Each structure stands twice: as structure tokens, then as C-alpha cells.
Amino acid sequence: LSSRGGNADASAPSLAYAMDSMGCQMNTADAERMEGQLQAMGFSKATDPKKAQVIVLNTCSIRDHAEQKVYSYLGPHAARKQKGEDLAIVVAGCVAQQEGEALLRRVPEIDLVMGPQYANRIGDLLEGVFNGNQVVATAPTHIMEDVTQPQRQSTVCAWVNVIYGCNERCSYCVVPTTRGAEQSRPRESIRAEIEELVANGYREVTLLGQNIDAWGRDLTPKQTFAELLRDMAGVEGLDRMRFVTSHPRYMSERVVAAVADMPALCEMFHVPFQSGDDEVLRNMERGYTAKRYKQIVDQIRARLPDAAITADAIVGFPGETEEQFQNTLKLMEEVKFDQLNTAAYSPRPHTPAALWKNQVSEEEKMDRLQRINRLAAAHALERRQRYIGRVEEVLVEGRNTRYPSQVKGRNRQGCPIYFDGDSELLTGKLVPVKITE
């Protein structure tokens, strides 16, 4: 293999790749697809990244200091190239899309910069690298269906993308810039992937989308996500299906009804609220109010009282006052989430809020983050108490690495459950488990 000229003998068994993926479930799914393509090219997964001939860093730009983490990671691999080692360095994902050619100026040893919309085309792009070119692939493109098999991280549960990109313009979020406009996958392609997963022994599928409720509105004729859910949950042999992430602006009662009606659909909803204050929500350009969010929660619990509701929240958004932060805590007290993912606001490139003058101090953001985390942990513990004494159906996903005599899995609401058992016998099985603590 030559990353600066010559050709790769892609069939050579000694060629290996290393993949390091950061961030969300979408990135995990992208990494699985890239690994599948690399293996189709004849590369094996390196046991030691320092000996890999292709290095792939799949990046995330949601949090602050994301770019610095990328440069820190690349340093040792760039040093290998400077010493004359023959390897190709690939930076993929959202930081790659955000920075583009600037990455090459900062680290000229990089061979390929590719945005997330090119995850299905890494094989084609590497051919250009092997022919001696530096390649930057960040232009908008139609995302093609991938004919290679993803290299799944689990043999029990699988991610399936249903829509790429996001058309929302939340004032704090870099996703529309890095992942592009919404592109729904055809229904028949999604169903074919799920049917193949079931045929290969997978028991659970999670449908992925940055704004999953928007699936189908860009198709001709237009379709709805609720229709997709009913169709996919009807695949014969599929035991469980989940989906993320729902946007409160588009979340509909039809989706709740589909979950209630279809046995394979698990009773859990991930619906980020971000703030409990209406003025902050307007400044975030989220398109709903705290009252509307609570109506969604009421709709879910009226139809599915035992459903898990999880969410995301941001503290310290520019201009957020203590009173507005208290409104977030008030919403949490009214809802009591099964799990809440929290973050202190961090300015991201190419977003309006990053340029505003009314930034909240780091000290205040950290104080609010600690307070919201304490309340979120208390609510999560309170919500989990309802399982004690019940027999829960647990899908075993593997061994508990902390206690090897135990296995780990999740119930239908997504709550992690651990119990004594042989992972070789139980992995992939649905097991009734009485919860004692």
C-alpha cells in the first residue's frame, strides 16, 4: 500500500485498518459501515493501531474542544508518516465536514478528509488516496445505498439508519452544517436491511435519525414515520425495535399509537426538551414551548403508562438566567425522566449562538450542570424503583465485563439489567428476570 503514490494490493492479508469513532449512535452506525467496506477491500482489523496501514478517525463536533481532540489523536500517526512509514490517515465525520481543507493545512500528513455523507463511499475515496492523491470530500451529495455489509459491533442488537441529515436550524447546533440536509432512505431499503438482520440472528433493531420523525417528508409521495414504524415492526421474526431521536416539533400521537399497537416496538421514547423555559426555547429556535412538550409526555403516558421517557437538556445557553434555569428544573420535576443526558452549552463553529455577547460564565454553567445532574440522577433512581419485585423480559446482550459471572441486558424500556448467568448460553436470548435490587 502507498498513500502517496503507487497502488494498493487490497487482497494482501497483511493489510490492516484501525477505526476510532467518537460521539453519537449515528457515528457508530457510520463507523460500522466504513469497517464493512474496508473489510470488503481486503483489510483486517488491526490488533494494534500502531501497526495499521489505514487509520480512520470518525469525529464528532457536538462538544467544545472537539477539534483539539482530533489534532491530539492525529499527532502520533502523523509522526509515523514523518518517519517514513507507509500508511493512510483518514479523518471522517462531523469535524471533517466542519473543517474541510483546514485539516490538511494543519496536519498535511492527512490523506483523506470526508464528511459523514460519504461514509458509504470510503472505498472509492481510498482508491484516490492509493493513487497518490490527497482527497477532501465534503461537498453535498446524495447518500447512496451501501451494498457492503456493516461490521456490526454486536451480534444481538443493530443500528439501522432511516434518515440522514437535519433541516432544523437550532441556533446552537452544528449538525445541519456537518451532516447536511435531510435525506430519507427508501422504505424498501430499510425493510430489506432489517429482514437480513433478522435472518442473521439479530433480535433487536434501533432505527436512527437526527430528526427521525421527519422521515418520509422528502419522499415522493410523502410518507410518515408512523407508517414506517408499523411496517418495520411487522417484519417477521423481529423481537424488538427502538428508535431515536424524536423532535418535539414533529412528534405525533400516531407514533405513540404505533408503539402501543405493535408488539415489537419497545415502550420508550427519546424526546429532547433542551430547556424548560419558553424564552430560551425561542432563542434556541426549537419551535415548541414547555407546555407543548408536557402535552407530548401526557400523550405518551395516557396510552403507555409504563413507558420510559428519556431526553437531552442544555444548561448555560447564552442569556439563560437563574430563573430560566429553574424552569428547566421545574419541567424535570413534572416529568421525571427515566434518563436525562445533560450538557453545558459550548459555542460551536458556524452557529448563531456562538457569536452572541450574552454568554454565561463557565463557573455558572458548571454550577448549573452539577445541579441538574443531581436532580436527573434522583429522578432516574426513583423511576427505576417501579421495576423492583417485577419480572422483566431481558434481552441478553453479553457478559458483564465488571463481573464476568454475570450477564447484561435491557428490558423493553431500555433499563440496563445484570444477573448471574453464562453469557455463552444466554447471549441473544429473551430471559424473564425478577428484579430484586
Side-chain angles (χ1 to χ4, degrees):
L1 173 144
S2 176
S3 59
R4 297 281 186 220
N7 296 308
D9 178 5
S11 64
S14 60
L15 297 182
Y17 71 90
M19 174 79 66
D20 198 338
S21 188
M22 309 171 175
C24 67
Q25 301 102 321
M26 296 289 288
N27 261 23
T28 300
D30 288 346
E32 290 178 346
R33 293 192 177 280
M34 287 190 283
E35 287 200 60
Q37 290 191 46
L38 288 166
Q39 294 192 10
M41 294 173 70
F43 289 85
S44 59
K45 190 165 187 175
T47 54
D48 182 357
K50 296 177 182 177
K51 297 179 180 178
Q53 288 81 31
V54 174
I55 301 291
V56 183
L57 176 61
N58 193 29
T59 61
C60 173
S61 62
I62 291 295
R63 299 294 174 87
D64 199 8
H65 308 304
E67 299 82 8
Q68 292 88 333
K69 291 178 182 177
V70 170
Y71 293 127
S72 176
Y73 177 92
L74 293 175
H77 301 297
R80 289 175 58 194
K81 294 194 78 167
Q82 292 165 3
K83 293 175 183 177
E85 288 191 46
D86 198 12
L87 73 151
I89 299 177
V90 179
V91 181
C94 292
V95 172
Q97 181 69 27
Q98 173 187 296
E99 299 296 306
E101 292 186 8
L103 282 167
L104 300 183
R105 292 193 290 271
R106 178 80 175 265
V107 185
E109 291 80 9
I110 295 172
D111 296 279
L112 170 58
V113 176
M114 51 180 283
Q117 68 271 31
Y118 288 88
N120 289 356
R121 296 170 62 180
I122 188 172
D124 295 336
L125 297 174
L126 279 173
E127 289 298 329
V129 170
F130 299 156
N131 286 327
N133 302 305
Q134 274 187 319
V135 180
V136 177
T138 56
T141 185
H142 177 73
I143 299 174
M144 302 184 303
E145 285 298 312
D146 185 6
V147 297
T148 59
Q149 293 298 311
Q151 184 60 30
R152 309 277 182 184
Q153 296 183 4
S154 168
T155 59
V156 180
C157 307
W159 310 105
V160 173
N161 290 100
V162 302
I163 183 171
Y164 301 101
C166 181
N167 287 359
E168 299 304 298
R169 286 293 182 267
C170 301
S171 60
Y172 57 86
C173 186
V174 74
V175 167
T177 303
T178 57
R179 287 195 169 267
E182 291 168 356
Q183 294 184 42
S184 299
R185 288 182 67 195
R187 184 194 295 232
E188 57 270 19
S189 298
I190 300 168
R191 187 175 178 99
E193 183 174 352
I194 293 173
E195 287 175 343
E196 184 166 7
L197 286 166
V198 172
N200 289 332
Y202 283 84
R203 308 297 299 273
E204 178 179 300
V205 164
T206 299
L207 306 183
L208 292 180
Q210 224 76 45
N211 179 11
I212 201 162
D213 300 88
W215 179 88
R217 66 181 181 180
D218 59 326
L219 297 177
T220 304
K222 290 186 178 182
Q223 302 174 50
T224 70
F225 180 58
E227 294 169 348
L228 180 75
L229 279 179
R230 289 181 181 275
D231 188 6
M232 300 306 113
V235 170
E236 187 175 353
L238 179 64
D239 293 290
R240 289 183 175 183
M241 177 176 285
R242 307 179 193 272
F243 57 93
V244 290
T245 296
S246 296
H247 193 300
R249 183 189 292 186
Y250 303 104
M251 180 81 183
S252 75
E253 288 189 70
R254 294 189 300 271
V255 169
V256 179
V259 174
D261 293 344
M262 303 300 292
L265 283 168
C266 292
E267 299 83 0
M268 66 174 297
F269 300 83
H270 184 70
V271 193
F273 69 96
Q274 305 302 6
S275 172
D277 183 82
D278 287 349
E279 183 179 356
V280 173
L281 288 171
R282 280 194 300 272
N283 292 336
M284 289 179 166
E285 298 185 42
R286 290 290 288 172
Y288 56 87
T289 63
K291 180 179 179 180
R292 168 59 186 147
Y293 187 88
K294 286 181 281 189
Q295 287 174 345
I296 294 169
V297 172
D298 290 342
Q299 289 170 359
I300 294 170
R301 290 188 169 155
R303 191 75 188 266
L304 295 160
D306 200 36
I309 301 176
T310 64
D312 303 335
I314 296 171
V315 300
F317 186 76
E320 182 189 62
T321 64
E322 175 63 25
E323 181 181 0
Q324 290 171 329
F325 172 66
Q326 289 296 327
N327 285 336
T328 291
L329 300 184
K330 179 183 176 184
L331 186 148
M332 291 171 59
E333 289 284 13
E334 292 175 355
V335 175
K336 296 190 176 177
F337 294 97
D338 290 73
Q339 180 181 326
L340 182 64
N341 305 318
T342 62
Y345 169 78
S346 60
R348 306 308 304 132
H350 315 302
T351 61
L355 304 177
W356 296 348
K357 303 299 183 183
N358 55 348
Q359 302 291 325
V360 176
S361 71
E362 289 300 313
E363 181 181 13
E364 189 63 43
K365 284 194 283 190
M366 291 304 104
D367 175 68
R368 291 176 186 174
L369 186 63
Q370 290 177 4
R371 285 188 281 161
I372 195 174
N373 283 343
R374 285 196 294 268
L375 185 59
H379 288 163
L381 180 61
E382 179 182 341
R383 290 288 292 161
R384 290 183 180 188
Q385 298 308 302
R386 72 189 192 276
Y387 300 129
I388 294 179
R390 285 172 29 175
V391 175
E392 293 291 305
E393 179 190 73
V394 177
L395 177 58
V396 179
E397 298 174 16
R399 177 183 286 111
N400 180 359
T401 53
R402 291 184 61 188
Y403 301 100
S405 64
Q406 292 184 338
V407 293
K408 62 179 180 179
R410 289 176 295 162
N411 67 355
R412 291 181 60 88
Q413 289 83 358
C415 180
I417 293 173
Y418 305 87
F419 62 96
D420 291 336
D422 186 335
S423 63
E424 291 187 8
L425 294 176
L426 295 178
T427 296
K429 299 287 196 305
L430 289 165
V431 181
V433 178
K434 186 171 183 178
I435 308 302
T436 59
E437 62 176 331

